[in-house]
Amino acid sequence: MFEDKDNAMQKPDLGLMLREDAFKGKVIVVTGGGTGLGRSMTEVFMKLGASVMITSRKEDVLQKTCEELNALGKGKASYAVCDVRNNDQVEAAIEKAWTELGPIDCWLNNAAGNFISPTERLSHRAFDTIVDIVLKGTYNCTLAMGKKWIAEKRQGTFLNIVTTYAWTGSGYVVPSACAKAGVLALTRSLAAEWAKYGIRSNAIAPGPFPTQGAWSRLFPDELAKKIDPLERIPMKRFGEHPELANLAAYLLSDYSAYVNGEVVTIDGGEWLQGGGEFNNLSHVPEPMWDQIERMVRGKKS
Ligand code: HXC
Ligand code: NAP
């Protein structure tokens, strides 16, 4: 794992942002909720009183996470084994959640697959694998859940986890970039189309938040010795899971009832740092600015 820089902006000491019973009576499904960010978001939803069904492919992981989360003594966790690429399994997970926990109020599309690779090294199956998990998985879940909400005349809220290269694109993670761009288009499209049914769709675009799943596939040790991702982040630190989880809770809560079709970036300014023509001048040492100013003013006169 990378260490945050000494000069990192101070991390806030976070509790819950919403009042403790804000999700009392709410049922939320979190795909990929057994690990990483999905698990952290689930923990906050439960602390707010929600019943949460976590889903993924690995039953042992889901079972252990559920036990640990239920031991917190707040909310309720349950699980369904569900490969989001398989529509039958998605529909079965919806029925399981609806029967065990009650009508679903919110669906968080968080499951993903990713790894770094030069694109020319990818087989078409490798490309399919990522696009199928991220884009097909998200539209499978969204279509099945959306149809059920519409048929049952119930309101609902989708939240989709994308990333900033959904709109900038990025080399070396091209299948993921294509798929996340599709998820963002889905988010915005349905925000307009399904609002009439009381269904909201929003997204979060996180910058780097340390998780075992992402770090092992995107920043393997040999690469970490050569490239420091903190260099790209103006705030010189990674995201903290509670920062993301509180944002997700807000976007799923009634407090954001008028937010629809939005993508909220939470990346310490990372993607803009790469975009601004002169942003790399932050590398100029402070004393050198006197000399530079003299040169620039000299040119003017
Ligand atoms: C090239 C690779 C590869 C690699 C797999 N493949 N890894 N090709 N380089 N490193 C190829 C395989 O050879 C195969 O193609 C095809 O991809 C499918 O591989 P499988 O291992 O059979 O797939 P599967 O078991 O379904 O596993 C999916 C996975 C795996 C994506 C490859 O890593 C996984 O389960 N990931 C889930 C969790 C995850 O990825 N979390 C990170 C999300 S982070 P062939 O042709 O050989 O059959 C994230 C952050 C974004 O998204 C932004 C950060 C800032
Ligand atoms: P993670 O722990 O690897 O989470 C991915 C989850 O998806 C795992 O629980 C995995 O469980 C599940 N999953 C993978 N393939 C699946 C499939 N076919 N069907 C169902 N579930 C599947 O990684 P993470 O970092 O927390 O990532 C969570 C989300 O945040 C992803 O959408 C990722 O793109 C996004 N994100 C992360 C970062 C970051 O820095 N960490 C930055 C930007 C965006 P199983 O293996 O058990 O199926």
Side-chain angles (χ1 to χ4, degrees):
M1 286 279 179
F2 297 96
E3 291 302 321
D4 289 7
K5 293 264 189 266
D6 290 343
N7 61 347
M9 302 270 285
Q10 213 180 352
K11 296 171 201 170
D13 185 12
L14 292 175
L16 294 174
M17 183 177 85
L18 301 183
R19 60 163 209 276
E20 286 223 359
D21 62 349
F23 281 178
K24 196 160 173 247
K26 273 206 193 294
V27 175
I28 303 174
V29 176
V30 179
T31 69
T35 64
L37 301 180
R39 179 191 164 126
S40 297
M41 290 186 278
T42 299
E43 183 174 329
V44 164
F45 303 159
M46 287 175 65
K47 285 180 177 162
L48 293 169
S51 297
V52 186
M53 175 156 284
I54 56 172
T55 73
S56 83
R57 296 166 298 177
K58 300 191 189 94
E59 182 159 21
D60 53 337
V61 174
L62 291 169
Q63 198 171 13
K64 186 162 179 286
T65 299
C66 264
E67 278 165 21
E68 289 169 3
L69 290 176
N70 280 322
L72 295 171
K74 297 280 282 178
K76 181 179 173 187
S78 167
Y79 72 84
V81 178
C82 167
D83 186 328
V84 289
R85 292 170 287 192
N86 181 318
N87 199 54
D88 292 342
Q89 291 182 24
V90 168
E91 287 180 357
I94 291 174
E95 289 315 312
K96 190 167 193 270
W98 206 277
T99 312
E100 278 180 20
L101 303 177
I104 299 167
D105 298 292
C106 307
W107 188 282
L108 173 47
N109 283 305
N110 165 78
N114 202 0
F115 51 76
I116 45 165
S117 173
T119 307
E120 66 276 17
R121 292 171 67 102
L122 296 175
S123 68
H124 64 88
R125 283 179 299 273
F127 214 113
D128 283 347
T129 299
I130 302 305
V131 174
D132 282 355
I133 299 172
V134 176
L135 180 55
K136 184 177 180 177
T138 303
Y139 70 66
N140 274 345
C141 293
T142 304
L143 196 57
M145 187 69 261
K147 282 180 178 180
K148 174 107 180 158
W149 277 333
I150 293 165
E152 301 276 343
K153 295 194 168 32
R154 287 194 70 94
Q155 302 196 346
T157 304
F158 287 113
L159 181 60
N160 301 324
I161 306 299
V162 296
T163 184
T164 55
Y165 60 62
W167 58 89
T168 63
S170 174
Y172 304 94
V173 284
V174 171
S176 172
C178 295
K180 294 286 193 187
V183 173
L184 186 52
L186 180 77
T187 310
R188 289 172 169 155
S189 304
L190 291 180
E193 188 179 339
W194 282 356
K196 62 177 180 279
Y197 299 118
I199 299 173
R200 291 191 295 134
S201 299
N202 289 298
I204 295 179
F209 280 70
T211 66
Q212 175 61 29
W215 256 234
S216 61
R217 293 170 177 95
L218 302 175
F219 306 116
D221 286 347
E222 274 312 299
L223 187 67
K225 285 180 202 151
K226 295 190 169 57
I227 295 170
D228 180 356
L230 283 177
E231 285 297 326
R232 293 175 37 79
I233 304 172
M235 293 181 80
K236 300 294 174 218
R237 70 168 176 87
F238 297 121
E240 299 278 309
H241 288 210
E243 294 175 315
L244 178 75
N246 275 302
L247 174 60
Y250 165 71
L251 287 172
L252 290 179
S253 76
D254 296 340
Y255 294 101
S256 63
Y258 202 53
V259 180
N260 187 27
E262 189 53 78
V263 53
V264 182
T265 301
I266 176 165
D267 74 341
E270 183 194 32
W271 85 273
L272 287 169
Q273 166 78 13
E277 181 75 34
F278 293 102
N279 285 346
N280 62 356
L281 293 186
S282 55
H283 292 298
V284 173
E286 199 53 42
M288 216 177 138
W289 277 110
D290 288 339
Q291 191 189 345
I292 292 172
E293 187 178 337
R294 277 195 299 276
M295 287 163 70
V296 174
R297 286 178 181 274
K299 280 239 160 37
K300 259 172 81 180
S301 65

